[in-house]
Amino acid sequence: MRMEDALRKYRLKLEESQKEALKIRNTYQKWLSKKKKELKKAVEKLEKAKPPKNVDETLLKLVEAARRAYVSAFKRALEGIRDIEDLGKRLPELAKVHVDYGKHVIILFEKEVRAINSILKEMDEAYREYLQETQKRSLPPKLEIEKKIRELKTVQENLSSISSEIESLLEEITLKRKEIEQERQKPEVKGIEEQLENITTKKRKLEREVRSNVSKIQKTLKRLRMGGLADQLARDSSVALERPEEVISLLQTLKPRFGGKALKSAEWLIENLESTVSEIRELDRKSQELESAKEKELSRAEHIESEISSLERRIKELKNEKKKLEKLRTRLEEEIQKEVRLLEKVLGEEIEWDNI
């Protein structure tokens, strides 16, 4: 059965059920009106009843106090019973009053209390019958299948929209990455990168030459154990690149103590270290200039990178929103399925709703 037909059929059954329930309620309302009068009379009869003669004074006082409380409580309860639903709420209260005070009142007014108890039992049984009758005919009055299906459709549309937007943003990011690559492949950028590579190669060569010569004198320096700069240079060849003037001065002093390969390296360092370090520093300066020029050439690429970051943040937001909607979709599908099963049970037929 299609969902539209099932809901139409359900509404008709619900209308019939409500009409039947109203008839039952009206029947019990009339019955309740009579029973209230009976109970009221029975309570008034108890209130006016004369106690037996020759009763112990202490017992009489106890029973009379209980009778007043009993009568007062019943009158208040009766005033609060306007309809059959009120009766259900008040019955526990009446039963408690009957037990708490009735056990004393019955000692001297057995006939009157039993009459009240009999009416209470009738009321209790009738209320239970009323509930059974209405429950037999009752249908779930708050099925929200249509509303939830509409909500589910909206969720699915939003999910589709989000997926499309994410796909579009990913495509845009791909295009922007291509633009960045084009910027990086410009002849101007390539020319700068080539110069930077040549400078790096030359700098490494010069540094290697210095370090190589320092390494050849380190064994002698360690053996001399002079401390200070000599020990630092013996441990780390980069000291020569950082403090060339001091190293040259030190080597000039120590030159007589070197021999063989160590002497040749010391002489090379004395003659070439300062000019080599100066050349390295000049290469660093040129490298910085070229990096600035490259940065300027790639400024548009950096701007595009910023745009990509913004797009990626938006994608992250959309994915979070998508997760929430997927959870909502699952919950709605489960709720709809639950209500569909309930509706199928009421109508006794299978219902199709997936394609609504």
Side-chain angles (χ1 to χ4, degrees):
M1 181 186 293
R2 293 188 314 139
M3 180 61 78
E4 292 91 336
D5 298 330
L7 288 170
R8 189 162 45 250
K9 191 172 178 181
Y10 168 74
R11 280 191 286 268
L12 289 171
K13 284 181 78 73
L14 182 60
E15 204 173 309
E16 289 171 10
S17 169
Q18 287 169 341
K19 283 178 182 176
E20 287 180 22
L22 184 59
K23 284 179 186 177
I24 293 167
R25 188 177 185 279
N26 289 337
T27 300
Y28 277 88
Q29 277 294 110
K30 288 175 185 177
W31 173 88
L32 177 62
S33 181
K34 291 176 184 177
K35 279 296 161 188
K36 273 178 65 181
K37 287 176 184 177
E38 283 183 33
L39 185 57
K40 188 178 179 183
K41 283 180 183 178
V43 171
E44 287 173 351
K45 189 173 181 181
L46 170 63
E47 187 179 23
K48 294 173 184 177
K50 298 291 182 182
K53 292 178 182 180
N54 302 320
V55 175
D56 178 76
E57 191 66 27
T58 304
L59 177 61
L60 183 61
K61 284 181 181 180
L62 173 67
V63 173
E64 286 292 6
R67 176 165 69 159
R68 285 192 295 273
Y70 186 90
V71 168
S72 177
F74 262 84
K75 283 183 175 179
R76 280 198 309 273
L78 282 167
E79 285 174 7
I81 300 173
R82 293 176 296 276
D83 53 38
I84 192 72
E85 286 76 24
D86 287 336
L87 175 62
K89 295 173 190 174
R90 295 287 182 174
L91 277 171
E93 180 187 340
L94 289 171
K96 189 174 187 304
V97 170
H98 186 68
V99 171
D100 290 348
Y101 297 110
K103 64 185 176 184
H104 298 302
V105 180
I106 200 170
I107 296 170
L108 300 181
F109 304 98
E110 183 177 356
K111 182 182 175 183
E112 289 80 3
V113 171
R114 292 199 182 282
I116 291 169
N117 186 46
S118 177
I119 297 169
L120 279 179
K121 282 184 177 178
E122 285 183 52
M123 284 180 148
D124 184 64
E125 288 170 8
Y127 180 70
R128 292 176 189 279
E129 287 173 7
Y130 165 73
L131 288 180
Q132 288 173 0
E133 289 293 318
T134 51
Q135 283 169 3
K136 278 180 193 174
R137 292 162 177 77
S138 67
L139 293 176
K142 288 189 177 180
L143 285 179
E144 296 182 327
I145 297 175
E146 288 174 296
K147 178 186 171 185
K148 287 176 181 176
I149 287 175
R150 284 196 299 273
E151 192 177 347
L152 179 59
K153 276 186 175 181
T154 302
V155 168
Q156 288 171 332
E157 286 166 6
N158 289 340
L159 279 170
S160 176
S161 175
I162 286 172
S163 296
S164 296
E165 189 176 348
I166 289 173
E167 190 177 341
S168 175
L169 291 171
L170 288 170
E171 287 174 2
E172 192 175 347
I173 287 172
T174 301
L175 291 173
K176 287 187 179 296
R177 291 203 187 284
K178 286 180 181 177
E179 286 184 54
I180 289 172
E181 189 57 31
Q182 286 170 358
E183 288 293 313
R184 287 175 177 165
Q185 295 300 323
K186 287 193 303 186
E188 296 85 351
V189 175
K190 283 294 180 184
I192 292 170
E193 286 177 343
E194 189 176 337
Q195 290 180 67
L196 282 167
E197 191 176 340
N198 290 337
I199 286 172
T200 301
T201 302
K202 190 171 183 181
K203 181 184 172 183
R204 282 176 182 165
K205 183 181 177 183
L206 292 171
E207 286 178 343
R208 273 199 306 272
E209 194 170 11
V210 170
R211 288 178 186 278
S212 175
N213 281 288
V214 171
S215 69
K216 290 171 184 175
I217 65 170
Q218 283 178 323
K219 188 174 181 181
T220 303
L221 289 172
K222 286 176 183 176
R223 190 173 64 249
L224 292 174
R225 297 180 181 177
M226 294 182 65
L229 180 62
D231 280 2
Q232 292 174 30
L233 189 62
R235 288 194 304 270
D236 184 1
S237 61
S238 66
V239 172
L241 296 167
E242 294 163 5
R243 299 157 65 184
E245 295 85 356
E246 294 176 52
V247 169
I248 290 169
S249 178
L250 174 69
L251 294 178
Q252 284 172 336
T253 304
L254 298 177
K255 184 179 175 182
R257 299 194 184 188
F258 290 105
K261 291 181 180 179
L263 178 60
K264 286 183 180 180
S265 290
E267 288 173 344
W268 186 93
L269 288 165
I270 291 167
E271 292 173 13
N272 300 293
L273 180 59
E274 192 169 358
S275 60
T276 302
V277 170
S278 178
E279 190 175 354
I280 289 169
R281 288 172 181 171
E282 177 62 19
L283 289 171
D284 283 339
R285 187 189 65 76
K286 285 181 180 178
S287 178
Q288 287 175 3
E289 285 180 359
L290 288 167
E291 286 291 353
S292 296
K294 181 183 174 183
E295 206 172 290
K296 190 175 179 183
E297 288 292 338
L298 291 174
S299 60
R300 184 168 179 274
E302 286 180 11
H303 177 70
I304 297 169
E305 283 282 10
S306 176
E307 289 177 346
I308 288 172
S309 295
S310 179
L311 293 172
E312 285 174 339
R313 282 194 298 274
R314 175 59 182 158
I315 287 171
K316 188 177 179 181
E317 289 171 4
L318 288 168
K319 284 182 176 178
N320 288 336
E321 192 177 341
K322 187 177 179 181
K323 282 182 183 177
K324 289 177 186 175
L325 286 171
E326 284 170 345
K327 284 183 182 177
L328 177 57
R329 178 179 64 185
T330 301
R331 180 174 65 78
L332 285 169
E333 286 173 344
E334 287 172 355
E335 288 177 3
I336 292 168
Q337 191 59 54
K338 187 177 177 181
E339 291 202 0
V340 166
R341 284 196 294 269
L342 187 59
L343 190 54
E344 286 175 336
K345 189 176 179 182
V346 170
L347 301 178
E349 294 185 54
E350 286 189 9
I351 300 167
E352 298 173 6
W353 68 274
D354 292 338
N355 297 323
I356 288 181

